[in-house]
Amino acid sequence: MKLTIRDIAEMAGVSVTTVSQILNNKGSRFSEKTRKKVLAIVNEHHYKPDYFASNVINRHSKTIGMIVPDVTDFFFSKVIEGVESYLNPLGYVIILCNSRHSQENELKYLRELSHRAVDGLLLATPNVLPQEYALDSGFYNNMPIILIDRGLNRRDNGRLIVKEYEGAYQAVSLLIKNGHTKIGMLKETTGYYQLEERFNGYRHALKDHELAFNGKFVEEGDLTVQGGYEASKRLLRHKDVTAVFCGNDAMAIGCYQAIHEMGKRIPEDISVIGFDGLKLSEYMIPKLTTVKQPSFDIGFYAARFLIDTIEFPQRKVPNKVFETKLIIRESVKTLTKV
């Protein structure tokens, strides 16, 4: 039979209110002896609060809704891990929704979650929200929300921004400093993902080093291994390309495969740089030079900001800027200058 707060109170010889306040970290007025006695019983019997029941009383379900475009995407899997690492110790769980790159699905999940008594929402989206779902629309009056959207939707606070431009600029500059002048880029297809800052960093690095931008050296594809493979096959028809900057690490994996099938070697024949800094990039052969962005931290801070919004609705949520870091490994060759 499941243990209740009343059972714990009887076993400890205290009131139900005392147990409730100690479990909710509001028991500072009770003695340390009383606290230890209650918590010992809780631990011995592996007591877990009934959040459905407490929702009726406190209007808190300890449940967070989260919508991401692709649960299998390496980047979002780390974001989700960061979210859970912050929420789970606080007793929260997430309802995870996979929009499958569809804004229609995204909006459907927003409506569904609004009827499921979640305490708040985390929405990872590269879309501008329609007016009826905009942050100032009133839709979120009883359901706090934090966006993971690279600052796309306008707001004064709660923006999570990664210095993607700087990271891309440093990556391409590294290739140039190593003697590369014919540098290709694999970028996202126009559509669901928009990583323009990475593309801008690529173009501006070329310009600042007095190298001409050549549109033939830019190929689009899905931000997946398959997308990187197919885009690389097209890009590498240009035999003078000596280096490739990939929109993310998944595309870099596909690029590795395409280069291998051509009978070429990395970095002896073609240098490759990725973006994301995924753990698996350390195990690629050769190890991938990449721009690391703190995907875990993005999720962690998004969750932290959301809980702050839930618990302190009058407090202004800050903005957070995340640095990137160029991780130099073994996939870039220095060309001999003539």
Side-chain angles (χ1 to χ4, degrees):
M1 184 176 178
K2 184 177 179 180
L3 202 67
T4 67
I5 286 184
R6 187 173 298 280
D7 295 330
I8 295 171
E10 290 178 357
M11 295 167 71
V14 297
S15 69
V16 171
T17 300
T18 298
V19 174
S20 177
Q21 291 187 347
I22 289 173
L23 291 178
N24 287 283
N25 295 317
K26 297 179 180 179
S28 57
R29 66 188 180 90
F30 303 111
S31 69
E32 187 64 20
K33 181 180 179 181
T34 299
R35 286 186 71 259
K36 287 183 176 180
K37 188 175 183 180
V38 169
L39 294 176
I41 295 170
V42 168
N43 292 330
E44 180 184 352
H45 294 274
H46 305 290
Y47 171 76
K48 291 288 185 182
D50 186 339
Y51 289 121
F52 180 79
S54 66
N55 183 35
V56 176
I57 301 170
N58 303 317
R59 297 187 178 182
H60 283 296
S61 63
K62 294 294 237 184
T63 304
I64 299 298
M66 185 174 185
I67 304 171
V68 298
D70 185 355
V71 295
T72 66
D73 183 286
F74 297 126
F75 170 77
F76 287 112
S77 67
K78 291 300 292 184
V79 171
I80 293 167
E81 185 181 339
V83 167
E84 288 189 320
S85 72
Y86 188 83
L87 293 181
N88 288 352
L90 300 178
Y92 284 86
V93 295
I94 63 172
I95 297 176
L96 183 61
C97 303
N98 183 12
S99 66
R100 301 181 185 276
H101 298 196
S102 164
Q103 189 176 35
E104 181 181 351
N105 286 341
E106 191 175 272
L107 300 180
K108 180 191 74 174
Y109 283 130
L110 282 175
R111 293 190 295 270
E112 286 288 335
L113 290 170
S114 71
H115 296 297
R116 292 181 182 268
V118 296
D119 289 341
L121 281 174
L122 293 168
L123 172 59
T125 177
N127 296 311
V128 175
L129 295 170
Q131 186 54 49
E132 60 268 34
Y133 296 95
L135 295 179
D136 59 358
S137 65
F139 182 82
Y140 310 99
N141 284 350
N142 299 312
M143 187 174 56
I145 184 170
I146 292 293
L147 297 179
I148 304 171
D149 68 343
R150 297 185 172 87
L152 182 65
N153 290 273
R154 295 176 65 90
R155 56 198 184 276
D156 295 327
N157 54 289
R159 299 169 74 234
L160 301 163
I161 305 296
V162 177
K163 289 187 175 181
E164 297 182 69
Y165 173 92
E166 289 83 348
Y169 188 96
Q170 289 178 7
V172 178
S173 295
L174 174 70
L175 292 171
I176 296 170
K177 290 173 184 176
N178 279 276
H180 297 273
T181 59
K182 305 297 183 182
I183 303 169
M185 180 176 180
L186 307 183
K187 70 185 296 288
E188 80 287 353
T189 52
T190 54
Y192 199 82
Y193 292 93
Q194 290 294 326
L195 303 180
E196 285 301 311
E197 288 301 291
R198 300 181 195 182
F199 181 51
N200 290 338
Y202 163 78
R203 290 191 300 112
H204 293 164
L206 294 177
K207 179 180 178 182
D208 290 350
H209 290 86
E210 299 182 344
L211 295 176
F213 169 76
N214 187 341
K216 293 180 180 179
F217 290 170
V218 178
E219 286 291 345
E220 296 182 351
D222 293 334
L223 289 170
T224 61
V225 174
Q226 183 69 23
Y229 171 78
E230 293 173 354
S232 296
K233 297 285 273 190
R234 296 191 299 271
L235 172 64
L236 296 175
R237 292 171 186 165
H238 303 285
K239 304 299 183 182
D240 49 347
V241 170
T242 63
V244 183
F245 172 52
C246 302
N248 70 356
D249 286 350
M251 292 189 97
I253 296 172
C255 184
Y256 267 45
Q257 179 63 25
I259 292 170
H260 172 73
E261 290 182 5
M262 291 176 62
K264 302 287 187 179
R265 296 175 300 166
I266 303 169
E268 289 84 357
D269 301 309
I270 300 174
S271 295
V272 179
I273 294 183
F275 197 112
D276 274 343
L278 300 174
K279 187 69 176 175
L280 61 81
S281 65
E282 299 178 33
Y283 301 98
M284 296 167 67
I285 301 176
K287 294 180 180 180
L288 179 68
T289 294
T290 184
V291 178
K292 181 177 178 61
Q293 66 168 330
S295 47
F296 178 93
D297 292 346
I298 293 169
F300 185 90
Y301 274 91
R304 175 180 169 181
F305 285 177
L306 182 60
I307 297 304
D308 286 349
T309 302
I310 293 169
E311 296 187 351
F312 310 101
Q314 304 306 317
R315 183 183 298 176
K316 185 176 181 180
V317 178
N319 296 315
K320 177 69 177 176
V321 177
F322 299 94
E323 300 286 340
T324 54
K325 182 179 180 182
L326 181 60
I327 308 295
I328 300 175
R329 297 199 183 107
E330 302 166 2
S331 62
V332 174
K333 176 185 177 181
T334 301
L335 298 183
T336 302
K337 295 185 178 179
V338 180

